[in-house]
Amino acid sequence: MSPRAERQTVAWNRRHLLGLAELSAEEILAILDTARGFSEISKRSVRKVPTLRGRVVVNLFFENSTRTRLSFSLAAQRLSADVLDFTSSGSSTSKGETLIDTARNIEAMGVDVFVVRHSAPGAADVLSRHLDAAVVNAGDGAHEHPTQALLDLYTIRERLGRLKGLHVAIVGDIAHSRVARSNLYALLKLGARVTLVGPPTLVPGRFRELGAEVSHDLDAILPDVDVVNMLRIQRERQGKNSLSFPSIEEYSRRYGLTQRRLKRAKPDLVVMHPGPLNRGVEISPEVADGKHSVILDQVSAGLAVRMAVLFLVVGANEREQQERAALLREAAQ
Amino acid sequence: MSALLIANGRVVDPGRGVEGDLDVLLVDGRVSAVGPNLAAGGEFERVIDASGKIVVPGLIDMHVHLREPGRAADETIASGSAAAVRGGFASVAVMPTTEPAVDGEAGAEFQVLQGKRAGKARVFPIGAATRDRAGQDLAELEGLVRGGAVAFSDGDRPIRSAEVLRCTMLYARMLDRTVIVHPEDPDLAKQGVMHSGVVSLSLGLPGKSSASEEVMVARDIALARLTGARLHFSQVSTRGAVALVRAAKAEGLAVTCAVTPHHLTLTDESVRSFDPNVKVEPPLRTQDDVEGLIEGILDGTVDAIASGHAPHSREKKEVEFQVAPSGVIGLETTLPITLKALVHERGLSLLRLVELLSLGPAKILGLPGGTLAPGAPGDVTILDLEEEHTITTDFRSNSQNSPFVGWDVKGRAHYTIVEGRVVYDRSEEES
């Protein structure tokens, strides 16, 4: 790996990545710089380095996810780690075993990193307090999805060369979105402006207290933004169980990103989407596949970012354990 | 004749507004005399030297969940009443949040008998307002009164239908009982697990707005006005709810409210830990709400402090915040926490705190206690105001779900006396 990335890793001392709210701007940049070093590996003919040989990464997924899990698995494999998958839908308690017990059981088999996806906010936090292994949050309810936001930042930085001073709009179901929260925290720390866009039922004005700007009118802010991140709209938020919007059609008319709407945007606008796409709902096929779209770049950035994160947390955890062992030896003498 | 003399203590009796260095004589389970130098010339089975200690009417916790029948692993009437007297409470009023619910004469009588068998605190059942606490049909309210119920409530379940509550109130008025409600609009509260505010927004946890409580407080006050019934809010948690109760009182309605120690000391900020022991109903609110509750205590709007003691065994609580059951225990921490937060830190008078913990609840429930006037029940709590200690998980309760473990506090109960009998003596405990 590049000397630059190695230099940056010194700034990283966390054995868990639970969220971006708690990270400093320097720590976020350390991950992004490390990721840039790793991105070269994907371009080689042999796409593998021995960095994490002998280490075990477990994907502990309590919520359906194919893409995030694949991305983490591939990232771990490119670093030569062994990968185990544990998938279970629904809350762990519904199966009679607690989340903590499940993780401890697997940890007893010898695990270095848990990559955790769970529907309950705080699930990764709770596990981090009960495990010796490193914990990476791969999405906890509507709380945080740090690696998704990191790959978004990485993509923007590659495309526009900077983050500071950019105006980023995040459009859609912000209230229920972990992607929006992680993006908001990280973008603000790195000096970007963030406007959250959607109907007031999905974008509470209180987000202003977290430093965001809030708009209910996509057309009004579109000419001013450098990046627009379109979130997936969940159809189940409409109707019986929720009053978030009257109909998909109406939502799409007000907040869907179409070619017609893009005419009002800056010529070098960057269009992002964390996937999976609802073509024709929040984004039209022409826009999704058009020149502004970086949707597939996001996916490849995800691999580099996740390699960087796994590399950094394992390093920090091993240093921590060595220091602890040294202290114990000292105490024993 | 059995006589117990409590000598040399400082008596604080909100019932008569008395505060002074006095002896208290209990004879045959009742207060016989309060005055200086009662020791002279008398013969007593037992004399407690209360020098340096505070002697108050037996404290009453009017809002506890003792889980019996149904959930003995969490709590029983025996374990809960042992916890009560250790915390200084001579009496507890028990919510019908049992399995099955206490919604008839037999259920209420069972709890009374179990309380007597345990032989610690007085146990007063609160009967369910509606059958099975389902909010649809009235429970057998007159039967509950025969069984010993002192009030009616569906516990932590709001009564969704205004018409059901109206009819409950009419019956309660006829039977001279108070209706106790947990004010929350179930539609507005939805799936919320914490206060709806900037903290819930940043944690991604579904929130319950202050409005979800205040809408219901306003509705229930309107029904109290309509029916003339006595209405008590088992706890209020927002500044706005306190204001609504204040206005109802000014209007002359028989509306009362309690607050809990945790709503007086913790805010939604503490949920950032994702610790299920700060998950409560109603949720912990903001610092501004805490100040609003304390203003209500100072100006008399708040009538009582009640623990809301809600035991859940460890395995039930040690799960993800979102799915963990709500509630915290409080019988053994309410006195030290309120002494710390209100008396030591905010300068509230001891007389007012004791009122909130004894006379206030007695009046709401129509119980004879809350005073040391001659003829009153011989229920006395003797406390030390200065002893510093740290709250640990060494509880008499079957459960340990307290948000206050690790807190450094000052003051606690040393003796609890019920009907002239010492049921808790701290000196018998290894410290």
Side-chain angles (χ1 to χ4, degrees):
Chain A
M1 61 177 301
S2 73
R4 182 177 174 192
E6 261 173 39
R7 180 166 49 77
Q8 288 290 352
T9 59
V10 180
W12 184 266
N13 287 312
R14 293 174 186 269
R15 69 182 174 103
H16 307 298
L17 178 67
L18 304 176
L20 300 185
E22 64 197 32
L23 299 193
S24 65
E26 292 69 33
E27 287 173 309
I28 294 169
L29 288 173
I31 300 174
L32 297 181
D33 288 342
T34 309
R36 179 174 282 157
F38 279 122
S39 69
E40 293 158 19
I41 296 167
S42 298
K43 295 170 193 149
R44 297 181 192 166
S45 56
V46 176
R47 302 188 181 103
K48 206 158 184 163
V49 290
T51 317
L52 294 186
R53 183 180 290 152
R55 312 311 200 288
V56 178
V57 174
V58 173
N59 289 319
L60 194 60
F61 275 52
F62 295 94
E63 220 182 38
N64 284 332
S65 154
T66 314
R67 287 128 36 101
T68 304
R69 189 163 50 82
L70 276 179
S71 178
F72 267 108
S73 292
L74 199 53
Q77 283 162 3
R78 290 209 168 154
L79 296 170
S80 302
D82 297 321
V83 182
L84 282 174
D85 278 332
F86 176 95
T87 347
S88 159
S89 58
S91 160
S92 56
T93 49
S94 64
K95 305 186 69 187
E97 188 182 44
T98 69
L99 172 65
I100 296 161
D101 281 338
T102 304
R104 274 192 180 147
N105 262 282
I106 297 170
E107 187 180 43
M109 300 176 202
V111 173
D112 297 281
V113 187
F114 280 100
V115 175
V116 183
R117 160 71 61 96
H118 198 288
S119 61
D125 288 57
V126 170
L127 284 182
S128 73
R129 274 176 259 142
H130 286 89
L131 298 172
D132 293 323
V135 173
V136 175
N137 183 3
D140 59 331
H143 180 217
E144 284 233 37
H145 191 353
T147 57
Q148 175 68 43
L150 288 165
L151 72 87
D152 290 343
L153 264 65
Y154 184 97
T155 308
I156 297 170
R157 208 170 169 225
E158 291 299 303
R159 186 76 166 220
L160 297 178
R162 67 195 168 106
L163 290 162
K164 200 180 171 75
L166 293 180
H167 186 183
V168 179
I170 308 174
V171 184
D173 183 358
I174 309 298
H176 302 95
S177 173
R178 51 192 171 214
V179 175
R181 282 179 181 78
S182 288
N183 261 287
L184 173 65
Y185 300 142
L187 286 165
L188 291 179
K189 282 172 204 279
L190 294 177
R193 253 178 88 190
V194 180
T195 301
L196 306 174
V197 187
T201 44
L202 296 177
V203 188
R206 262 232 151 81
F207 270 109
R208 294 191 180 97
E209 292 172 45
L210 295 177
E213 292 162 51
V214 168
S215 166
H216 307 304
D217 186 347
L218 180 57
D219 286 322
I221 66 130
L222 205 49
D224 190 56
V225 301
D226 303 293
V227 178
V228 60
N229 197 344
M230 303 302 297
L231 302 184
R232 177 182 169 81
I233 272 299
Q234 310 272 334
R235 285 168 187 273
E236 53 276 20
R237 298 242 177 265
Q238 172 213 345
K240 256 188 222 147
N241 299 319
S242 171
L243 304 167
S244 296
F245 47 85
S247 75
I248 285 280
E249 290 69 30
E250 183 173 305
Y251 177 86
S252 184
R253 209 157 52 231
R254 268 187 81 80
Y255 301 106
L257 196 58
T258 58
Q259 285 290 13
R260 188 183 53 76
R261 218 164 228 147
L262 274 188
K263 288 188 187 130
R264 308 170 50 85
K266 290 184 181 175
D268 59 346
L269 174 77
V270 175
V271 173
M272 308 177 79
H273 193 298
L277 301 174
N278 269 322
R279 286 173 183 262
V281 179
E282 69 271 355
I283 191 163
S284 76
E286 299 76 38
V287 176
D289 305 328
K291 67 183 168 76
H292 296 283
S293 168
V294 294
I295 294 171
L296 296 178
D297 298 335
Q298 289 173 267
V299 177
S300 38
L303 207 53
V305 159
R306 287 171 180 131
M307 288 169 77
V309 167
L310 292 173
F311 168 74
L312 291 172
V313 295
V314 168
N317 198 22
E318 289 179 358
R319 279 197 303 279
E320 205 177 302
Q321 280 168 10
Q322 281 161 11
E323 282 162 22
R324 215 179 302 151
L327 280 175
L328 280 175
R329 273 198 307 276
E330 249 175 61
Q333 275 167 8
Chain B
M1 195 182 94
S2 91
L4 167 64
L5 181 70
I6 303 162
N8 310 321
R10 184 154 71 94
V11 168
V12 175
D13 178 8
R16 298 189 296 165
V18 169
E19 199 168 352
D21 295 331
L22 299 165
D23 296 347
V24 177
L25 178 62
L26 307 179
V27 176
D28 290 341
R30 294 197 165 269
V31 177
S32 161
V34 178
N37 304 319
L38 296 182
E43 276 186 33
F44 314 103
E45 268 69 46
R46 182 167 177 185
V47 176
I48 292 175
D49 179 14
S51 326
K53 297 196 167 53
I54 313 292
V55 180
V56 305
L59 303 183
I60 302 169
D61 192 339
M62 65 174 298
H63 179 186
V64 306
H65 305 265
L66 295 191
R67 312 299 190 206
E68 181 176 344
R71 283 169 51 189
D74 298 340
E75 199 77 287
T76 62
I77 287 171
S79 66
S81 57
V85 296
R86 184 168 185 253
F89 289 100
S91 301
V92 290
V94 185
M95 283 293 183
T97 48
T98 49
E99 293 167 12
V102 172
D103 59 2
E105 180 176 351
E109 194 172 306
F110 169 76
Q111 289 192 318
V112 172
L113 291 174
Q114 287 295 79
K116 291 204 166 122
R117 184 180 291 175
K120 300 283 187 188
R122 295 181 197 260
V123 173
F124 296 105
I126 296 169
T130 68
R131 189 170 297 156
D132 202 25
R133 298 197 299 129
Q136 291 177 354
D137 309 308
L138 295 189
E140 289 191 353
L141 300 174
E142 196 259 352
L144 281 166
V145 171
R146 282 167 187 264
V150 294
F152 304 126
S153 176
D154 275 354
D156 51 359
R157 276 190 208 152
I159 297 175
R160 183 188 279 260
S161 157
E163 173 62 0
V164 170
L165 182 56
R166 186 185 71 88
C167 294
T168 306
M169 284 179 164
L170 290 176
Y171 251 80
R173 191 177 172 200
M174 173 179 79
L175 296 166
D176 193 24
R177 290 291 182 276
T178 301
V179 178
I180 302 177
V181 292
H182 175 99
E184 179 175 276
D185 181 295
D187 287 329
L188 283 175
K190 279 185 287 195
Q191 304 301 312
V193 295
M194 68 174 295
H195 173 63
S196 172
V198 71
V199 180
S200 69
L201 212 57
S202 66
L203 296 179
L205 283 167
K208 299 179 179 190
S209 62
S210 298
S212 68
E213 177 169 328
E214 291 153 6
V215 160
M216 213 58 160
V217 169
R219 184 200 79 170
D220 294 354
I221 288 172
L223 293 172
R225 184 184 296 120
L226 176 68
T227 59
R230 294 202 307 266
L231 170 68
H232 174 71
F233 295 104
S234 55
Q235 72 284 303
V236 288
S237 69
T238 74
R239 177 182 284 281
V242 172
L244 288 164
V245 173
R246 185 178 290 127
K249 288 187 163 189
E251 200 188 315
L253 300 178
V255 172
T256 54
C257 69
V259 297
T260 73
H262 42 277
H263 288 107
L264 289 170
T265 50
L266 299 167
T267 68
D268 59 347
E269 285 291 334
S270 63
V271 181
R272 291 191 191 276
S273 66
F274 293 108
D275 178 358
N277 286 334
V278 296
K279 185 176 178 184
V280 290
E281 300 277 356
L284 300 173
R285 304 286 185 183
T286 65
Q287 190 59 40
D288 182 57
D289 292 302
V290 171
E291 301 304 325
L293 300 185
I294 288 175
E295 284 164 28
I297 283 179
L298 294 174
D299 75 4
T301 304
V302 173
D303 303 273
I305 291 174
S307 73
H309 183 82
H312 295 286
S313 58
R314 246 182 91 176
E315 66 274 15
K316 293 198 182 80
K317 267 288 196 185
E318 273 190 0
V319 295
E320 302 85 295
F321 188 90
Q322 215 164 347
V323 296
S326 292
V328 295
I329 58 171
L331 279 166
E332 293 165 81
T333 52
T334 290
L335 184 56
I337 291 295
T338 52
L339 280 173
K340 174 190 171 81
L342 298 176
V343 175
H344 296 312
E345 289 176 5
R346 300 253 188 178
L348 185 77
S349 77
L350 199 52
L351 196 66
R352 176 72 175 131
L353 178 66
V354 173
E355 180 184 13
L356 291 162
L357 289 168
S358 62
L359 184 66
K363 280 186 184 165
I364 294 164
L365 298 174
L367 302 177
T371 177
L372 294 175
D379 297 1
V380 180
T381 301
I382 302 174
L383 47 116
D384 186 310
L385 211 52
E386 301 299 331
E387 190 189 322
E388 295 183 5
H389 61 111
T390 303
I391 293 171
T392 70
T393 53
D394 174 31
F395 294 122
R396 293 297 170 272
S397 168
N398 278 355
S399 294
Q400 304 182 343
N401 52 307
S402 167
F404 298 119
V405 171
W407 281 44
D408 293 321
V409 288
K410 215 164 85 172
R412 62 173 152 199
H414 268 243
Y415 296 91
T416 304
I417 297 161
V418 174
E419 225 174 338
R421 202 163 54 85
V422 176
V423 290
Y424 174 74
D425 178 349
R426 191 175 144 61
S427 61
E428 288 170 6
E429 233 183 88
E430 288 179 58
S431 54

